[in-house]
Amino acid sequence: PRVGHPRFSPDGRQIAYTTWRSLDPEIMLAPVAGGPARRLTYWGSTDTRVCGWSPDGHVLAVSSHGQPFSYFSWAYSVPTDLSLIH
């Protein structure tokens, strides 16, 4: 699958990236040392992309997820601990 916008975590142990494994891009997280990647978003927006990391360890992303028009993009702080995602 196509991937882009890779960003290393501040501690260098993880990498967040955008993948087009499905029709629309989503955010994935993988350990740098190897192992399975985890999908962090299920937004279904064509403009989703990883931008970086916050100091508290969340992935920073932009997307028009949940907006009526794709030109209404918002910045999101996505937790990497899946138990925090509702």
Side-chain angles (χ1 to χ4, degrees):
R2 184 176 142 209
V3 298
H5 311 108
R7 300 291 186 268
F8 284 100
S9 62
D11 64 7
R13 295 173 54 198
Q14 300 180 88
I15 189 165
Y17 58 94
T18 309
T19 183
W20 285 261
R21 184 177 2 192
S22 60
L23 182 61
D24 293 318
E26 299 294 349
I27 297 172
M28 300 289 286
L29 181 69
V32 171
R38 293 185 297 142
R39 185 172 173 173
L40 297 181
T41 63
Y42 292 84
W43 292 342
S45 295
T46 60
D47 58 356
T48 297
R49 75 177 191 275
V50 172
C51 296
W53 289 79
S54 68
D56 62 354
H58 290 195
V59 176
L60 300 176
V62 294
S63 179
S64 61
H65 162 69
Q67 300 302 312
F69 303 102
S70 63
Y71 55 84
F72 290 149
S73 291
W74 290 86
Y76 291 92
S77 177
V78 182
T80 58
D81 180 352
L82 296 179
S83 67
L84 298 175
I85 300 174
H86 303 310

